[in-house]
Amino acid sequence: MIRSINTLLVPIPTIREHKLACTVMREQVLVLVHIQTEDGFEGWGEATTIGGLSYAEESPHSIQTNIDTYFAPLLLKEQPTSTAKAMQLLNLHINGNRFAKCAIETALLDIEGKRLNLPVSELIGGRVRDRIEVAWTLASGNTETDISEAKQMVEQKRHRIFKLKIGSNPIIDDIAHVLAIKQALPDCRITVDVNQAWTELEAMKGIALLQTGGIDLIEQPVSMRNKAALKRLKEHFDVAIMADEVVQDPQNAFLLAADHCADVFAVKINQAGGLKAACLIGQMAHLAGIELYGGTMLEGPIGTAASAHVFSTYPSLNFDTELFGPLLLTEDVLVQPLDYQNFGLNVPTGAGLGIEVDSDKVYHYAKKAVISASSTHHS
């Protein structure tokens, strides 16, 4: 029996500004769900989004409101006896809200894993790898800063795959920035994320230059609404074209896979609507011969651990992952931080998510945020 469901907003500053085509981030608001059961188990889930409402249609505040108003009362009233039944119930009564559903499912799987003394990866298909390579996003907006940051990462054996966020500057400037970084790091794999910023014509021009410059992967160059353009770009260029924002839920992924619209799928557990949905997308891509990339919503350590469990089950993960979210934050909410070393992340092996959340710290931060928000409203 579920005893309580708490949703907490925990704002944590980032170690530096993080620039995307749609916004600039200086802090990340972690949306954490804490579920406790009558028999003494607790589970944690995370529904973190990027940049408030500038990236997707759910925001930290809408997720919290919807879970508190609709999800929690429904689950407490119906008391589903398994995670699968809980998700079926939510999908029956609540439309959309993929991020919120993901957080609830993660917390319930965390509890189920602890109860059975199994890692979450074994509840969702079984892991085939214990370690995943992690890319780092260079998004300071300054070429020299990015190059020195990347060189430092390689030296410290933290990252050797780099992703560049472009799309907010004129194309020629963006390409010059990317190619300067590629030249400075000839042995590193470089991915470019345009965050849907280009038209198809701009993409034709931009990708041609990037391909010649030896870039390895181009992420979501055009609007998610223009699947046909994505497909044309994929057919026109040799460099791998990756679908991200357009992948979303399994239904969308199925249509993209059936129409061969991309070479690679970026999968994000929140965007997919949960861990099992993200596993399903991985299986579909695999069946369609589409490569996989483990994406991030820049989640903190809870969502990152959950993502790692999912990506550990993928039959192949040739484009690796970008689960660097916790490394971008100035504070950790775990008792023992996630194990990043040797260019990757070791997938937690303990029961459930295999992590221990510092709940005193989390509740303290959440409370502080509520107090500062209410004082801002009254001033």
PDB file of all heavy atoms in Angstrom, residues 274-296:
ATOM      1  N   GLY A 274       8.596   7.451 -19.336  1.00  0.00           N
ATOM      2  CA  GLY A 274       8.916   6.459 -18.315  1.00  0.00           C
ATOM      3  C   GLY A 274      10.002   5.494 -18.752  1.00  0.00           C
ATOM      4  O   GLY A 274      10.426   5.493 -19.912  1.00  0.00           O
ATOM      5  N   LEU A 275      10.442   4.670 -17.807  1.00  0.00           N
ATOM      6  CA  LEU A 275      11.558   3.749 -18.075  1.00  0.00           C
ATOM      7  C   LEU A 275      11.157   2.643 -19.039  1.00  0.00           C
ATOM      8  O   LEU A 275      11.903   2.302 -19.949  1.00  0.00           O
ATOM      9  CB  LEU A 275      12.064   3.143 -16.754  1.00  0.00           C
ATOM     10  CG  LEU A 275      13.010   4.023 -15.940  1.00  0.00           C
ATOM     11  CD1 LEU A 275      12.360   5.318 -15.489  1.00  0.00           C
ATOM     12  CD2 LEU A 275      13.540   3.278 -14.725  1.00  0.00           C
ATOM     13  N   LYS A 276       9.967   2.087 -18.837  1.00  0.00           N
ATOM     14  CA  LYS A 276       9.549   0.987 -19.720  1.00  0.00           C
ATOM     15  C   LYS A 276       9.291   1.494 -21.140  1.00  0.00           C
ATOM     16  O   LYS A 276       9.600   0.820 -22.112  1.00  0.00           O
ATOM     17  CB  LYS A 276       8.329   0.278 -19.140  1.00  0.00           C
ATOM     18  CG  LYS A 276       8.697  -0.545 -17.902  1.00  0.00           C
ATOM     19  CD  LYS A 276       7.506  -1.260 -17.317  1.00  0.00           C
ATOM     20  CE  LYS A 276       7.922  -2.067 -16.097  1.00  0.00           C
ATOM     21  NZ  LYS A 276       6.755  -2.648 -15.409  1.00  0.00           N
ATOM     22  N   ALA A 277       8.744   2.709 -21.236  1.00  0.00           N
ATOM     23  CA  ALA A 277       8.524   3.313 -22.558  1.00  0.00           C
ATOM     24  C   ALA A 277       9.860   3.550 -23.255  1.00  0.00           C
ATOM     25  O   ALA A 277      10.007   3.317 -24.460  1.00  0.00           O
ATOM     26  CB  ALA A 277       7.755   4.621 -22.423  1.00  0.00           C
ATOM     27  N   ALA A 278      10.866   3.985 -22.488  1.00  0.00           N
ATOM     28  CA  ALA A 278      12.196   4.228 -23.059  1.00  0.00           C
ATOM     29  C   ALA A 278      12.837   2.911 -23.512  1.00  0.00           C
ATOM     30  O   ALA A 278      13.539   2.866 -24.522  1.00  0.00           O
ATOM     31  CB  ALA A 278      13.083   4.935 -22.040  1.00  0.00           C
ATOM     32  N   CYS A 279      12.570   1.840 -22.764  1.00  0.00           N
ATOM     33  CA  CYS A 279      13.065   0.510 -23.168  1.00  0.00           C
ATOM     34  C   CYS A 279      12.399   0.075 -24.475  1.00  0.00           C
ATOM     35  O   CYS A 279      13.039  -0.477 -25.367  1.00  0.00           O
ATOM     36  CB  CYS A 279      12.786  -0.522 -22.082  1.00  0.00           C
ATOM     37  SG  CYS A 279      13.878  -0.359 -20.662  1.00  0.00           S
ATOM     38  N   LEU A 280      11.107   0.348 -24.566  1.00  0.00           N
ATOM     39  CA  LEU A 280      10.345  -0.017 -25.766  1.00  0.00           C
ATOM     40  C   LEU A 280      10.888   0.717 -26.997  1.00  0.00           C
ATOM     41  O   LEU A 280      11.060   0.121 -28.071  1.00  0.00           O
ATOM     42  CB  LEU A 280       8.867   0.318 -25.539  1.00  0.00           C
ATOM     43  CG  LEU A 280       7.863  -0.121 -26.603  1.00  0.00           C
ATOM     44  CD1 LEU A 280       7.930  -1.625 -26.826  1.00  0.00           C
ATOM     45  CD2 LEU A 280       6.454   0.276 -26.186  1.00  0.00           C
ATOM     46  N   ILE A 281      11.198   2.012 -26.834  1.00  0.00           N
ATOM     47  CA  ILE A 281      11.763   2.783 -27.947  1.00  0.00           C
ATOM     48  C   ILE A 281      13.101   2.177 -28.371  1.00  0.00           C
ATOM     49  O   ILE A 281      13.394   2.043 -29.557  1.00  0.00           O
ATOM     50  CB  ILE A 281      11.931   4.272 -27.550  1.00  0.00           C
ATOM     51  CG1 ILE A 281      10.547   4.919 -27.376  1.00  0.00           C
ATOM     52  CG2 ILE A 281      12.731   5.036 -28.615  1.00  0.00           C
ATOM     53  CD1 ILE A 281      10.586   6.336 -26.819  1.00  0.00           C
ATOM     54  N   GLY A 282      13.903   1.783 -27.392  1.00  0.00           N
ATOM     55  CA  GLY A 282      15.192   1.157 -27.687  1.00  0.00           C
ATOM     56  C   GLY A 282      15.031  -0.127 -28.478  1.00  0.00           C
ATOM     57  O   GLY A 282      15.756  -0.380 -29.445  1.00  0.00           O
ATOM     58  N   GLN A 283      14.057  -0.930 -28.091  1.00  0.00           N
ATOM     59  CA  GLN A 283      13.805  -2.201 -28.800  1.00  0.00           C
ATOM     60  C   GLN A 283      13.338  -1.934 -30.233  1.00  0.00           C
ATOM     61  O   GLN A 283      13.780  -2.594 -31.172  1.00  0.00           O
ATOM     62  CB  GLN A 283      12.732  -3.030 -28.064  1.00  0.00           C
ATOM     63  CG  GLN A 283      13.122  -3.470 -26.661  1.00  0.00           C
ATOM     64  CD  GLN A 283      14.255  -4.497 -26.637  1.00  0.00           C
ATOM     65  OE1 GLN A 283      14.569  -5.113 -27.644  1.00  0.00           O
ATOM     66  NE2 GLN A 283      14.880  -4.638 -25.481  1.00  0.00           N
ATOM     67  N   MET A 284      12.454  -0.953 -30.392  1.00  0.00           N
ATOM     68  CA  MET A 284      11.945  -0.632 -31.734  1.00  0.00           C
ATOM     69  C   MET A 284      13.046  -0.146 -32.649  1.00  0.00           C
ATOM     70  O   MET A 284      13.140  -0.543 -33.806  1.00  0.00           O
ATOM     71  CB  MET A 284      10.849   0.434 -31.645  1.00  0.00           C
ATOM     72  CG  MET A 284       9.490  -0.169 -31.479  1.00  0.00           C
ATOM     73  SD  MET A 284       8.177   1.039 -31.626  1.00  0.00           S
ATOM     74  CE  MET A 284       8.455   2.126 -30.281  1.00  0.00           C
ATOM     75  N   ALA A 285      13.891   0.740 -32.119  1.00  0.00           N
ATOM     76  CA  ALA A 285      15.002   1.264 -32.911  1.00  0.00           C
ATOM     77  C   ALA A 285      15.902   0.106 -33.339  1.00  0.00           C
ATOM     78  O   ALA A 285      16.304   0.011 -34.507  1.00  0.00           O
ATOM     79  CB  ALA A 285      15.801   2.271 -32.085  1.00  0.00           C
ATOM     80  N   HIS A 286      16.175  -0.781 -32.395  1.00  0.00           N
ATOM     81  CA  HIS A 286      17.043  -1.925 -32.670  1.00  0.00           C
ATOM     82  C   HIS A 286      16.459  -2.784 -33.789  1.00  0.00           C
ATOM     83  O   HIS A 286      17.166  -3.191 -34.724  1.00  0.00           O
ATOM     84  CB  HIS A 286      17.211  -2.743 -31.383  1.00  0.00           C
ATOM     85  CG  HIS A 286      18.174  -3.866 -31.512  1.00  0.00           C
ATOM     86  ND1 HIS A 286      19.520  -3.669 -31.768  1.00  0.00           N
ATOM     87  CD2 HIS A 286      18.000  -5.206 -31.433  1.00  0.00           C
ATOM     88  CE1 HIS A 286      20.125  -4.846 -31.843  1.00  0.00           C
ATOM     89  NE2 HIS A 286      19.232  -5.790 -31.642  1.00  0.00           N
ATOM     90  N   LEU A 287      15.157  -3.025 -33.737  1.00  0.00           N
ATOM     91  CA  LEU A 287      14.504  -3.843 -34.768  1.00  0.00           C
ATOM     92  C   LEU A 287      14.542  -3.164 -36.131  1.00  0.00           C
ATOM     93  O   LEU A 287      14.623  -3.816 -37.161  1.00  0.00           O
ATOM     94  CB  LEU A 287      13.040  -4.112 -34.383  1.00  0.00           C
ATOM     95  CG  LEU A 287      12.818  -5.020 -33.160  1.00  0.00           C
ATOM     96  CD1 LEU A 287      11.343  -5.069 -32.793  1.00  0.00           C
ATOM     97  CD2 LEU A 287      13.343  -6.422 -33.419  1.00  0.00           C
ATOM     98  N   ALA A 288      14.507  -1.822 -36.119  1.00  0.00           N
ATOM     99  CA  ALA A 288      14.488  -1.079 -37.381  1.00  0.00           C
ATOM    100  C   ALA A 288      15.895  -0.768 -37.889  1.00  0.00           C
ATOM    101  O   ALA A 288      16.064  -0.106 -38.906  1.00  0.00           O
ATOM    102  CB  ALA A 288      13.698   0.216 -37.197  1.00  0.00           C
ATOM    103  N   GLY A 289      16.915  -1.206 -37.148  1.00  0.00           N
ATOM    104  CA  GLY A 289      18.295  -0.935 -37.569  1.00  0.00           C
ATOM    105  C   GLY A 289      18.714   0.505 -37.321  1.00  0.00           C
ATOM    106  O   GLY A 289      19.604   1.026 -37.988  1.00  0.00           O
ATOM    107  N   ILE A 290      18.070   1.159 -36.340  1.00  0.00           N
ATOM    108  CA  ILE A 290      18.430   2.541 -36.002  1.00  0.00           C
ATOM    109  C   ILE A 290      19.339   2.506 -34.774  1.00  0.00           C
ATOM    110  O   ILE A 290      19.065   1.785 -33.811  1.00  0.00           O
ATOM    111  CB  ILE A 290      17.144   3.364 -35.728  1.00  0.00           C
ATOM    112  CG1 ILE A 290      16.370   3.538 -37.042  1.00  0.00           C
ATOM    113  CG2 ILE A 290      17.471   4.728 -35.124  1.00  0.00           C
ATOM    114  CD1 ILE A 290      14.960   4.016 -36.876  1.00  0.00           C
ATOM    115  N   GLU A 291      20.406   3.283 -34.806  1.00  0.00           N
ATOM    116  CA  GLU A 291      21.357   3.300 -33.689  1.00  0.00           C
ATOM    117  C   GLU A 291      20.768   4.069 -32.504  1.00  0.00           C
ATOM    118  O   GLU A 291      19.837   4.862 -32.665  1.00  0.00           O
ATOM    119  CB  GLU A 291      22.670   3.977 -34.119  1.00  0.00           C
ATOM    120  CG  GLU A 291      23.372   3.283 -35.273  1.00  0.00           C
ATOM    121  CD  GLU A 291      24.092   2.003 -34.862  1.00  0.00           C
ATOM    122  OE1 GLU A 291      24.101   1.652 -33.673  1.00  0.00           O
ATOM    123  OE2 GLU A 291      24.656   1.355 -35.757  1.00  0.00           O
ATOM    124  N   LEU A 292      21.365   3.848 -31.327  1.00  0.00           N
ATOM    125  CA  LEU A 292      20.830   4.491 -30.119  1.00  0.00           C
ATOM    126  C   LEU A 292      21.839   5.369 -29.400  1.00  0.00           C
ATOM    127  O   LEU A 292      23.044   5.107 -29.415  1.00  0.00           O
ATOM    128  CB  LEU A 292      20.324   3.414 -29.151  1.00  0.00           C
ATOM    129  CG  LEU A 292      19.024   2.735 -29.618  1.00  0.00           C
ATOM    130  CD1 LEU A 292      18.807   1.435 -28.891  1.00  0.00           C
ATOM    131  CD2 LEU A 292      17.835   3.662 -29.423  1.00  0.00           C
ATOM    132  N   TYR A 293      21.290   6.392 -28.769  1.00  0.00           N
ATOM    133  CA  TYR A 293      22.078   7.371 -28.019  1.00  0.00           C
ATOM    134  C   TYR A 293      21.292   7.649 -26.741  1.00  0.00           C
ATOM    135  O   TYR A 293      20.092   7.926 -26.792  1.00  0.00           O
ATOM    136  CB  TYR A 293      22.183   8.626 -28.877  1.00  0.00           C
ATOM    137  CG  TYR A 293      22.895   9.806 -28.262  1.00  0.00           C
ATOM    138  CD1 TYR A 293      24.275   9.958 -28.402  1.00  0.00           C
ATOM    139  CD2 TYR A 293      22.189  10.803 -27.592  1.00  0.00           C
ATOM    140  CE1 TYR A 293      24.926  11.071 -27.879  1.00  0.00           C
ATOM    141  CE2 TYR A 293      22.835  11.912 -27.071  1.00  0.00           C
ATOM    142  CZ  TYR A 293      24.204  12.045 -27.212  1.00  0.00           C
ATOM    143  OH  TYR A 293      24.843  13.145 -26.702  1.00  0.00           O
ATOM    144  N   GLY A 294      21.942   7.562 -25.595  1.00  0.00           N
ATOM    145  CA  GLY A 294      21.263   7.801 -24.325  1.00  0.00           C
ATOM    146  C   GLY A 294      21.226   9.274 -23.997  1.00  0.00           C
ATOM    147  O   GLY A 294      22.239   9.867 -23.632  1.00  0.00           O
ATOM    148  N   GLY A 295      20.060   9.889 -24.113  1.00  0.00           N
ATOM    149  CA  GLY A 295      19.937  11.335 -23.926  1.00  0.00           C
ATOM    150  C   GLY A 295      19.677  11.729 -22.484  1.00  0.00           C
ATOM    151  O   GLY A 295      19.471  10.882 -21.614  1.00  0.00           O
ATOM    152  N   THR A 296      19.656  13.037 -22.248  1.00  0.00           N
ATOM    153  CA  THR A 296      19.418  13.561 -20.901  1.00  0.00           C
ATOM    154  C   THR A 296      18.552  14.800 -20.960  1.00  0.00           C
ATOM    155  O   THR A 296      18.577  15.531 -21.941  1.00  0.00           O
ATOM    156  CB  THR A 296      20.766  13.924 -20.218  1.00  0.00           C
ATOM    157  OG1 THR A 296      20.489  14.406 -18.901  1.00  0.00           O
ATOM    158  CG2 THR A 296      21.518  15.008 -20.971  1.00  0.00           C
TER     159      THR A 296
END
